[in-house]
Amino acid sequence: MLLTFTDCKIRFLLLFSRQGKLRLQKWFTPMTEREKKKITRDMTTMVLSRQPRSCNFLHWKDLKIIYKRYASLYFCLAIENGENELIALEVIHRYVELLDKYFGNVCELDIIFNFEKAYFILDEFLMGGEIQETSKQMVNRSIEASDMLQEGDNSEWFELELFG
Amino acid sequence: MSDVVEKTLTALPGLLSLDSQPGSNKLSSNSKLRNLIRGITELTSKHEEEKLIQRELTSIKEQVSSPNTSMRQMKELMVRAIYCEMLGYEASFSYIHAIKLAQQGTALEKRVGYLAVSLFLNESHELLLLLVNTVLKDLQSTNLIEVCMALTVVGQMFPKDMIPAILPLVEEKLNHPKEIIRRKAVLALYKFYLIAPNQVQHIHNKFRKALCDKDPGVMTASLHIYLQLIEENPEGYKDLTTSFVTILKQVVGGKLPMDFNYHSVPAPWLQIQLLRILCLLGKNDQSTSEIMYEVLDESLRRAEINHNITYAILFECVKCIYTIHPKSELLEKAAKCIGNFVLSPKINLKYLGLKALTYVVQQDPKLALQHQMTIIECLDHPDLIIKRETLELLFRITNAQNVTVIVDKMLEFLRINKDDYTTIDLVGKTMSTVFSVGGDTMQPDIPNSFLKLLSEGFDSVEEDRKLRLFAVDSYVSLLQGEPGKLPQRFLQVISWVLGEYSCLRADLEVDTVLRLLAKLLDMKTTSSETKSWVLMAMTKLCEGGAGVSVARGVSETYSSSLDTVLRQRAQELQHLSQDPELRARVLPRHTGLEPLEVDSSLSFLDGFVSEALAAGAAPYKPPHQRQEELAQAKSLSLEPYGLSLPLSMSSCSITDRQSPTLLSISSGLSGNSNDLSHKGGSSSLRLDGVKRVWGREGYLAQREPAEESAHVEVPSTLRSPSQQGRADGSHSQTPTHTPTPELEKQQLASSLFVGLGSHSSVCLMGKSEPTPQRFRRKARSPASSSGASENISHSLVSPPITVDTLVCNNLLDSHITSEPDVSPLEQTPPLSQGLAAANGSCDEELPDSDVKGSSPSLIGDDALVAADPAPHEEPPKDLLLSSYLPAELSGLSHSEITPLSSDQSLDLSACHVQKEGDLVLVVFIYNSSDSDIQQILLELDSEELEVSCECDGAVGGARGHSVAVCQYSLSVKRPSVHVELVGTVSYQFPVGTPQSGQFSYKLPLSSFIRPLTLSTEEYGTMWLDFSHDTKQNLTLISDDPEPLAASLSVLKNKLQLHVVEIIGMEGIVACRLLQDQPCLMHCRLHAGTLAVWLRSPVPDLPDCLMYFCQRALQEH
């Protein structure tokens, strides 16, 4: 069997607002810009048109779409067909928890204005479409350690914090 | 909640002007980005946005290429470029600068550089090569954070060809003292393994080291690799089974640091990973499977917390148990677990339950039988996704007996489905299955409607094309395989489809298709009807060239056929293939889509007929008349032999008379005309299974298990509830009243699940003997384990009504996507409130966002009763207020009207009204001042309650000395003995400052309790499925000759419980919490007290109810 990079379990993560505005996009498999745009459009229309009291899962092509709404923001995760939907739902939830821990009562505006931080947190949590770190403390420690670099080059102290 | 500063977009300008955002000293203030974002939110048209972004991009472009731009500025520019790309505008000029930033920036700038690279580029982008050196350098850095960054980017994307360059460095990191580095290195190697497996072959033993790492994080990371490796080659890793089992045991046993807990479940992701690995290892391997039985059992047992993640683990567990070498005890537990999923009121769990059923149903079809009513409910579910999953499940249980109903359901689904991918997938995949399984026993209308679907198509042309192409492709490949095995009916469909649509596939030679079709003709098994279909298809296809020669050969063979129809078709083929002009006229291309007009009265033949009659021909008699005459003639001539005349003759003529049209249809069919005429040609549900499963008086099949389990049964006494569920069969004599829609569902169920009683009947090709189920079941039950046979009897009494009510619980599962009306103001309440707190608490909707957003004009008149000015100064007393109760509530019992709050101008009071299916809170707002209040806003919130307002939130106004009334519908989110609502009222006089006041309203949970009517059997089945319970001994009403009955009747009257049955010393009682959360109660007289045992699927509900029962009995 020839394995390709498309084998990763999570294909992409999109965050968009109730108005369908994209807030964050992470693609775990290579895609062309056109594909990305098409998928984003499909996702927003599909997810936003869901009736209340429907389940949080959708089929799209050969993928499962797992979405969840947090206040005004939709989190939308695409996983392979064989994957477990409930775990995906908890992946989203854990990410929200991480964001919440970092921003402190996170809201959509935090993500709009600091989307790069949201990406950093995501990169510590998911790597190449797989869960990397499930411990909340660890993710935050590594993010904060990196953040503090900006204050000057006293990184050693924070390394102590992070790796000690 | 209230102290949370709500950040709304309307407050945006204010926020933007502030340098420091609240609580965010760690957030960078990239003011240019802020300006850009603000600029975009202010725009109204897409066109304006485009202009703005283009301007922005031009300015970024200028700055990034300027030599004076510092790395710090570059960092900000990159963030802005990322933003523009996210909005869908290309910023490819910045890619190279992102790489430069990663290369040259200091740590933080480098991080943004790497991020930009990972967002902009993908593995195959050529610029990525330029990153290799940077990565190499950073991997060797002494700064651990830089090493982390490099590993992170490598784990996301790295040019395949350059892996050897960095591989040694990454490998080295496996021995790094810091766990985070080791973990990232393992993941990077996993990535390498995925994109270039041969490159990392030599380090397999290092993976083992990672697996044994003392840090659980590194070990978890290594499991990704192992899962992949084992998937490819399970044989190679059997020796690791014990290690995986040990790890799982430790995890399940809570041996990992607390840090790895997720909502107090120990390392769920790790558990799931391990379960998947075990699943692969134990498949088809008894000895390996035996190693894991114990830990699987423990996993099932330990997963008790009611949280999504627990269910996720359970799902994997069940999957594993059904995949590995079976162990009956585990299977039984897993089956029960699936039951919990399927019966769950939460729609997500139900979905997963269907999925699990789909997975296991091939091995254990009776499981589907057990949940048939739920499946039926799901089939009618408004959510298409659930519907589709149900169909998927049904296809797995398709057999010759239920194929018609299932296909009907599928066609129904296709009619409402909009998604073309799903359609194609479903139609293609499942029609083939259905045809090959159901094949010849299908009614003729099924393939007909399928063909109709194909030809009439859907709304979109493109979709039709895809579906047709799909059909052509799959059928061609079927014919290339072994068409001899396919049912005749399917072959006919194939011929038709190929005849009509093979021209759509341009690269498919007509020749090839013709040859495939000709092959069908040569097969001995092909019936003559099929042959005529094939010939017709060929007629459509043969058009010049090679086609003609094939056609000639075929038509020569068949023009001398004994079958007139075949001879006719062969003639047609011959003539049309040789005369292109005629062919073009008869079979014009590409017009197949227009409906043909058929003159069914054959009026164009009138002339011919009258001529023939004039020439002395006999007038036409319809076939049934001819048959009748024939039969009469025969019976006359056979009269002397009347006694010995076979009955079959007369019965045959009766059948014919009943379905004259069908006779002509079935006459050409291959050997199954008997079968068809027996079915009477109706297109409605096939109910031949009904008698076996459902009768007029209820579920007949219940008797059979009752017989089976009779030896363990003493029917007259009420058993302890745990036995109850299994012993239910004994109560089947109690007739259950079933309303008509229910009956319809049951009929549907019986026709869907017919033939599922035993393994043998599933996937029987074509003509399976419709053996009555009881024989089969009896025959096999001794062979199956005792546990399994208990399971059967359990399954057969699955109560329709119970399931019904449980399904309604979906309504309560509000936290999934409860969606109050979108408010016109854009609000951004915090994404999550108290995330750390409880499961799912973060997806609570804020009811106030709803309230604020609505404008007064939206208020419906019926919800708001603004009364005339009261004639006196005093605020209206209870009695008077109650007259303001909305008319539809006035007849119902309501609680005492209690004052909520009052100030100089407004008096608020409230009461709650118990409706049968609802609890309504009525708030009376009395304006005691002289002046009118234009607008009053009421906001209600509660932790335990779901509040939905029936008057759109705002109350509108209240004139001086008048009362306005507002209604809210309440339902319980989280049971608690007393539930409390807090609210604020705000209003403003035409002149004056805004006023507001706060209030709270408390009500007992008992007001949400309603009787739940069910039968003893249903009670028994439900009882076992509920996980939350509590037991307590309560005081008995002892001054009554029948203490149990008296106590229960007190409970019944005070708490609105439903007494299901009282037998001897025991009684069972049921109730529901609005809307439909069941709670079951089992009471027993025990040493002068009432031993009460409460069970419910809802946590805390049993405890709360116990409290009320206790009080009710004490107060008596």
Side-chain angles (χ1 to χ4, degrees):
Chain A
M1 183 177 69
L2 185 71
L3 283 168
T4 58
F5 36 70
T6 51
D7 248 287
C8 64
K9 308 291 185 288
I10 299 173
R11 296 296 183 81
F12 57 80
L13 171 74
L14 299 179
L15 270 67
F16 50 84
S17 71
R18 223 157 46 179
Q19 287 75 29
K21 287 257 190 317
L22 193 61
R23 299 297 184 213
L24 203 83
Q25 53 172 352
K26 184 83 190 176
W27 308 89
F28 295 104
T29 51
M31 306 254 192
T32 64
E33 286 306 313
R34 260 189 64 173
E35 283 172 315
K36 288 183 188 173
K37 274 186 188 164
K38 164 102 173 56
I39 291 174
T40 311
R41 211 169 40 237
D42 281 4
M43 289 306 119
T44 46
T45 39
M46 273 169 74
V47 170
L48 292 176
S49 63
R50 289 286 282 167
Q51 296 297 313
R53 299 199 187 91
S54 308
C55 63
N56 294 31
F57 317 129
L58 283 170
H59 296 260
W60 184 81
K61 305 234 159 142
D62 57 340
L63 298 180
K64 289 271 177 58
I65 309 299
I66 315 301
Y67 70 92
K68 190 158 179 181
R69 180 179 157 183
Y70 289 88
S72 53
L73 208 55
Y74 284 90
F75 288 68
C76 172
L77 195 70
I79 55 170
E80 281 182 3
N81 224 332
E83 288 292 298
N84 183 327
E85 291 87 350
L86 281 182
I87 307 174
L89 212 51
E90 295 312 301
V91 167
I92 293 178
H93 190 71
R94 174 39 65 102
Y95 181 48
V96 175
E97 285 183 345
L98 291 170
L99 291 172
D100 197 61
K101 180 134 196 212
Y102 180 80
F103 288 106
N105 227 337
V106 65
C107 74
E108 190 183 344
L109 286 182
D110 290 324
I111 294 170
I112 297 177
F113 288 114
N114 302 286
F115 61 87
E116 79 275 18
K117 309 279 188 208
Y119 276 122
F120 291 144
I121 295 171
L122 187 63
D123 283 347
E124 285 303 310
F125 175 45
L126 300 176
M127 190 159 155
E130 296 282 359
I131 305 278
Q132 181 191 172
E133 177 59 71
T134 60
S135 151
K136 227 193 300 195
Q137 279 91 334
M138 280 307 295
V139 172
N140 272 294
R141 252 192 270 164
S142 60
I143 293 292
E144 272 165 28
S146 315
D147 269 0
M148 292 307 180
L149 291 176
Q150 145 187 54
E151 311 295 321
D153 229 353
N154 50 356
S155 54
E156 275 167 39
W157 185 80
F158 290 102
E159 268 178 31
L160 205 72
E161 181 87 338
L162 168 60
F163 304 103
Chain B
M1 228 322 286
S2 56
D3 54 316
V4 174
V5 183
E6 283 196 352
K7 302 167 198 170
T8 66
L9 272 191
T10 44
L12 202 58
L15 272 178
L16 292 170
S17 61
L18 290 175
D19 266 345
S20 60
Q21 246 200 327
S24 59
N25 53 356
K26 56 186 166 191
L27 307 178
S28 69
S29 55
N30 186 340
S31 64
K32 284 199 175 135
L33 174 71
R34 282 173 181 272
N35 284 337
L36 172 65
I37 294 170
R38 185 177 57 177
I40 287 167
T41 49
E42 279 167 0
L43 297 178
T44 46
S45 78
K46 186 83 191 157
H47 178 66
E48 283 176 318
E49 181 190 292
E50 207 175 315
K51 266 190 357 205
L52 184 80
I53 300 282
Q54 290 308 344
R55 250 201 335 266
E56 178 76 15
L57 283 174
T58 323
S59 127
I60 296 176
K61 195 171 184 176
E62 243 166 56
Q63 290 179 62
V64 287
S65 40
S66 149
N68 301 326
T69 310
S70 71
M71 279 296 140
R72 204 187 174 93
Q73 286 166 317
M74 192 68 103
K75 188 190 106 197
E76 289 183 16
L77 289 167
M78 276 310 130
V79 173
R80 275 153 67 198
I82 295 174
Y83 190 78
C84 293
E85 283 242 323
M86 182 160 68
L87 292 178
Y89 300 89
E90 202 199 283
S92 52
F93 62 86
S94 58
Y95 298 173
I96 184 78
H97 298 283
I99 291 179
K100 222 166 87 186
L101 186 62
Q103 210 163 49
Q104 296 167 6
T106 58
L108 200 76
E109 293 144 18
K110 191 185 266 300
R111 185 161 72 145
V112 173
Y114 273 131
L115 175 69
V117 169
S118 71
L119 292 172
F120 289 154
L121 308 181
N122 62 39
E123 260 138 333
S124 46
H125 203 288
E126 50 187 9
L127 279 179
L128 209 54
L129 290 175
L130 298 175
L131 197 71
V132 175
N133 271 326
T134 316
V135 170
L136 266 176
K137 199 183 92 206
D138 286 338
L139 280 178
Q140 297 170 78
S141 164
T142 51
N143 186 333
L144 294 183
I145 290 173
E146 285 181 353
V147 180
C148 278
M149 285 180 203
L151 284 172
T152 306
V153 83
V154 162
Q156 294 185 65
M157 46 164 33
F158 202 73
K160 195 171 162 183
D161 306 331
M162 299 311 286
I163 289 175
I166 58 161
L167 189 58
L169 281 173
V170 178
E171 265 184 76
E172 201 177 274
K173 296 287 181 279
L174 288 175
N175 298 320
H176 200 279
K178 300 297 177 204
E179 71 90 12
I180 187 173
I181 307 274
R182 294 202 300 277
R183 172 161 49 83
K184 282 184 189 281
V186 169
L187 281 169
L189 288 175
Y190 168 62
K191 183 75 182 173
F192 293 166
Y193 179 75
L194 288 183
I195 58 179
N198 46 346
Q199 309 254 19
V200 285
Q201 212 105 64
H202 62 287
I203 49 168
H204 277 200
N205 57 336
K206 292 202 173 155
F207 292 157
R208 264 183 206 234
K209 200 162 157 266
L211 181 65
C212 304
D213 199 286
K214 63 178 188 300
D215 183 87
V218 181
M219 186 265 291
T220 311
S222 75
L223 291 183
H224 292 305
I225 300 179
Y226 275 102
L227 184 61
Q228 194 68 43
L229 288 172
I230 294 171
E231 211 171 333
E232 289 155 33
N233 173 25
E235 291 310 315
Y237 298 89
K238 298 275 183 185
D239 57 319
L240 285 175
T241 313
T242 337
S243 315
F244 292 127
V245 167
T246 318
I247 298 172
L248 184 55
K249 238 177 228 164
Q250 286 175 353
V251 177
V252 173
K255 299 283 188 328
L256 284 194
M258 288 291 280
D259 204 26
F260 286 89
N261 282 10
Y262 176 77
H263 293 259
S264 36
V265 177
W269 279 279
L270 176 55
Q271 286 194 45
I272 284 161
Q273 202 80 350
L274 284 166
L275 285 169
R276 286 186 178 164
I277 288 177
L278 291 183
C279 181
L280 292 171
L281 286 173
K283 196 175 181 183
N284 303 325
D285 184 341
Q286 183 170 1
S287 58
T288 311
S289 299
E290 274 162 5
I291 306 174
M292 47 187 90
Y293 288 149
E294 193 193 331
V295 74
L296 289 175
D297 191 34
E298 192 166 348
S299 292
L300 276 183
R301 208 153 25 84
R302 291 266 190 166
E304 59 211 349
I305 302 161
N306 189 7
H307 188 280
N308 267 346
I309 198 78
T310 324
Y311 288 109
I313 295 173
L314 281 176
F315 180 80
E316 293 295 331
C317 231
V318 167
K319 233 172 126 175
C320 183
I321 288 170
Y322 270 93
T323 311
I324 62 172
H325 188 85
K327 187 187 184 200
S328 58
E329 191 190 315
L330 276 179
L331 287 177
E332 207 179 309
K333 285 183 182 167
K336 203 181 149 216
C337 196
I338 294 178
N340 287 342
F341 275 94
V342 175
L343 294 176
S344 167
K346 293 194 175 169
I347 188 165
N348 286 345
L349 295 187
K350 203 178 269 292
Y351 173 91
L352 235 69
L354 289 171
K355 217 178 113 169
L357 268 183
T358 312
Y359 187 78
V360 304
V361 85
Q362 280 150 317
Q363 297 165 55
D364 194 0
K366 63 181 161 24
L367 256 183
L369 205 62
Q370 188 175 342
H371 297 294
Q372 44 178 311
M373 289 320 287
T374 317
I375 296 171
I376 302 288
E377 298 286 348
C378 291
L379 210 48
D380 289 332
H381 201 279
D383 188 350
L384 284 187
I385 305 298
I386 299 283
K387 237 182 169 136
R388 203 206 131 152
E389 206 59 37
T390 318
L391 282 174
E392 199 83 53
L393 168 61
L394 288 181
F395 286 124
R396 301 290 169 99
I397 57 167
T398 306
N399 58 33
Q401 295 163 59
N402 60 16
V403 66
T404 321
V405 191
I406 290 182
V407 172
D408 269 353
K409 284 283 157 194
M410 193 203 72
L411 292 174
E412 208 174 276
F413 177 79
L414 287 175
R415 255 168 244 136
I416 48 171
N417 185 51
K418 293 280 181 292
D419 175 35
D420 52 342
Y421 186 87
T422 315
T423 309
I424 292 167
D425 180 57
L426 260 187
V427 172
K429 188 169 74 190
T430 52
M431 269 335 260
S432 300
T433 344
V434 166
F435 278 126
S436 31
V437 173
D440 290 341
T441 53
M442 245 183 320
Q443 286 169 38
D445 62 314
I446 296 298
N448 284 349
S449 49
F450 172 60
L451 294 182
K452 204 166 153 227
L453 181 89
L454 268 179
S455 63
E456 287 175 358
F458 309 93
D459 301 334
S460 109
V461 180
E462 180 55 21
E463 219 169 282
D464 292 345
R465 228 183 78 84
K466 274 196 210 151
L467 178 59
R468 288 170 192 156
L469 271 180
F470 183 92
V472 169
D473 284 352
S474 53
Y475 294 162
V476 165
S477 62
L478 269 177
L479 288 188
Q480 280 161 347
E482 277 189 71
K485 288 185 176 161
L486 299 173
Q488 298 300 315
R489 199 47 77 53
F490 191 24
L491 288 178
Q492 292 162 14
V493 169
I494 291 177
S495 319
W496 187 87
V497 169
L498 290 182
E500 282 299 312
Y501 298 122
S502 62
C503 54
L504 287 176
R505 171 65 78 210
D507 51 350
L508 188 66
E509 298 269 335
V510 178
D511 213 26
T512 325
V513 184
L514 279 176
R515 228 165 266 136
L516 284 171
L517 290 173
K519 203 168 87 187
L520 284 183
L521 289 176
D522 294 339
M523 286 190 314
K524 285 202 185 73
T525 47
T526 313
S527 73
S528 54
E529 198 203 2
T530 310
K531 281 180 183 169
S532 77
W533 282 77
V534 173
L535 283 174
M536 280 196 284
M538 292 177 99
T539 315
K540 285 177 206 160
L541 284 172
C542 68
E543 191 178 18
V548 180
S549 64
V550 180
R552 189 174 298 137
V554 169
S555 54
E556 268 164 21
T557 319
Y558 286 94
S559 52
S560 56
S561 166
L562 285 176
D563 189 308
T564 44
V565 181
L566 278 186
R567 215 156 57 215
Q568 163 84 18
R569 300 284 173 237
Q571 290 292 339
E572 284 169 14
L573 173 61
Q574 193 175 10
H575 287 294
L576 290 176
S577 65
Q578 283 162 7
D579 189 348
E581 210 173 288
L582 179 65
R583 188 181 183 285
R585 234 162 24 125
V586 178
L587 294 167
R589 280 211 109 161
H590 308 303
T591 51
L593 299 185
E594 269 108 72
L596 296 173
E597 271 186 38
V598 177
D599 183 358
S600 58
S601 65
L602 303 179
S603 56
F604 57 90
L605 287 176
D606 283 353
F608 175 79
V609 171
S610 52
E611 263 174 44
L613 284 174
Y620 174 75
K621 284 177 187 164
H624 62 275
Q625 198 182 339
R626 264 178 278 162
Q627 287 281 344
E628 221 163 275
E629 280 170 11
L630 201 63
Q632 278 164 6
K634 275 181 184 166
S635 64
L636 271 177
S637 68
L638 291 170
E639 211 166 26
Y641 308 104
L643 276 179
S644 62
L645 177 72
L647 280 168
S648 62
M649 184 54 102
S650 53
S651 75
C652 168
S653 65
I654 287 168
T655 335
D656 292 344
R657 217 174 294 147
Q658 274 177 336
S659 52
T661 46
L662 195 82
L663 187 73
S664 56
I665 297 171
S666 56
S667 63
L669 292 181
S670 58
N672 50 5
S673 50
N674 254 341
D675 200 16
L676 278 163
S677 53
H678 156 72
K679 278 170 213 151
S682 78
S683 61
S684 61
L685 300 182
R686 274 186 48 189
L687 300 177
D688 29 346
V690 178
K691 270 184 199 153
R692 285 196 295 279
V693 189
W694 295 99
R696 216 163 268 164
E697 61 273 53
Y699 207 172
L700 292 180
Q702 287 172 355
R703 294 218 176 112
E704 291 142 24
E707 284 161 22
E708 260 183 35
S709 53
H711 57 281
V712 292
E713 194 96 343
V714 190
S716 59
T717 57
L718 189 65
R719 334 207 99 245
S720 77
S722 60
Q723 286 166 298
Q724 185 82 34
R726 294 176 199 154
D728 270 325
S730 62
H731 299 287
S732 61
Q733 288 86 348
T734 338
T736 41
H737 171 73
T738 40
T740 326
E742 201 62 42
L743 194 67
E744 273 171 26
K745 280 179 186 155
Q746 287 165 5
Q747 286 178 342
L748 179 59
S750 62
S751 42
L752 274 179
F753 298 98
V754 61
L756 279 186
S758 81
H759 297 259
S760 58
S761 67
V762 183
C763 298
L764 270 183
M765 293 287 284
K767 298 137 190 141
S768 72
E769 290 291 304
T771 330
Q773 281 190 341
R774 59 168 167 259
F775 295 133
R776 268 189 264 143
R777 192 167 296 115
K778 273 201 169 163
R780 65 177 289 275
S781 59
S784 65
S785 71
S786 65
S789 70
E790 272 173 5
N791 213 344
I792 295 172
S793 55
H794 176 72
S795 76
L796 284 167
V797 291
S798 74
I801 294 166
T802 316
V803 175
D804 204 6
T805 51
L806 279 172
V807 170
C808 298
N809 287 352
N810 291 345
L811 300 176
L812 267 193
D813 196 14
S814 51
H815 79 265
I816 295 172
T817 40
S818 68
E819 197 157 2
D821 290 342
V822 176
S823 59
L825 296 172
E826 173 161 1
Q827 299 196 354
T828 42
L831 286 181
S832 51
Q833 308 147 33
L835 268 169
N839 155 37
S841 65
C842 47
D843 29 358
E844 290 168 13
E845 281 301 328
L846 302 173
D848 50 356
S849 69
D850 184 5
V851 173
K852 276 183 199 151
S854 57
S855 62
S857 63
L858 290 172
I859 300 162
D861 288 339
D862 50 345
L864 170 70
V865 184
D868 286 326
H872 47 74
E873 290 294 309
E874 289 284 292
K877 291 280 176 318
D878 186 349
L879 199 66
L880 292 167
L881 273 178
S882 64
S883 66
Y884 290 114
L885 269 176
E888 72 269 21
L889 299 178
S890 56
L892 300 161
S893 72
H894 63 84
S895 69
E896 202 182 324
I897 297 179
T898 47
L900 294 177
S901 74
S902 69
D903 59 18
Q904 64 272 30
S905 38
L906 273 194
D907 282 298
L908 259 69
S909 333
C911 69
H912 53 271
V913 184
Q914 298 197 17
K915 290 193 349 189
E916 201 199 328
D918 203 358
L919 188 86
V920 180
L921 176 77
V922 185
V923 181
F924 304 91
I925 303 163
Y926 174 60
N927 179 3
S928 55
S929 69
D930 293 314
S931 41
D932 300 350
I933 300 176
Q934 292 304 325
Q935 193 178 353
I936 305 170
L937 268 173
L938 260 185
E939 289 169 352
L940 294 181
D941 198 3
S942 168
E943 288 198 359
E944 299 97 355
L945 293 173
E946 189 84 44
V947 185
S948 60
C949 181
E950 295 175 353
C951 57
D952 285 324
V955 183
R959 281 194 273 161
H961 302 292
S962 76
V963 176
V965 178
C966 201
Q967 296 181 45
Y968 296 87
S969 167
L970 306 182
S971 59
V972 180
K973 276 191 297 201
R974 221 168 47 215
S976 149
V977 173
H978 285 101
V979 287
E980 193 174 20
L981 279 161
V982 288
T984 44
V985 57
S986 43
Y987 61 96
Q988 191 170 6
F989 284 103
V991 277
T993 51
Q995 309 273 327
S996 70
Q998 296 206 330
F999 59 86
S1000 70
Y1001 187 76
K1002 208 168 171 183
L1003 61 171
L1005 190 75
S1006 53
S1007 13
F1008 293 91
I1009 299 291
R1010 299 287 180 275
L1012 175 62
T1013 317
L1014 37 74
S1015 68
T1016 309
E1017 316 55 333
E1018 289 154 15
Y1019 179 97
T1021 335
M1022 283 168 89
W1023 178 266
L1024 285 179
D1025 287 328
F1026 298 158
S1027 48
H1028 300 278
D1029 66 346
T1030 183
K1031 290 182 199 173
Q1032 202 173 326
N1033 289 349
L1034 303 181
T1035 38
L1036 199 60
I1037 295 170
S1038 45
D1039 53 359
D1040 196 274
E1042 282 193 54
L1044 180 62
S1047 304
L1048 290 186
S1049 89
V1050 167
L1051 291 178
K1052 181 185 167 186
N1053 295 335
K1054 288 201 172 171
L1055 294 173
Q1056 299 205 44
L1057 309 180
H1058 169 71
V1059 180
V1060 180
E1061 198 168 1
I1062 301 176
I1063 299 177
M1065 310 279 276
E1066 296 176 88
I1068 51 176
V1069 179
C1071 68
R1072 64 192 167 99
L1073 180 71
L1074 288 174
Q1075 293 297 322
D1076 284 291
Q1077 311 275 24
C1079 186
L1080 303 182
M1081 179 174 177
H1082 174 257
C1083 310
R1084 196 161 50 90
L1085 288 185
H1086 175 69
T1089 60
L1090 186 67
V1092 176
W1093 190 0
L1094 285 166
R1095 274 195 175 208
S1096 170
V1098 187
D1100 297 330
L1101 182 53
D1103 293 308
C1104 297
L1105 199 63
M1106 189 64 86
Y1107 168 85
F1108 287 109
C1109 291
Q1110 192 174 11
R1111 284 208 22 202
L1113 289 172
Q1114 275 168 358
E1115 280 167 13
H1116 178 74

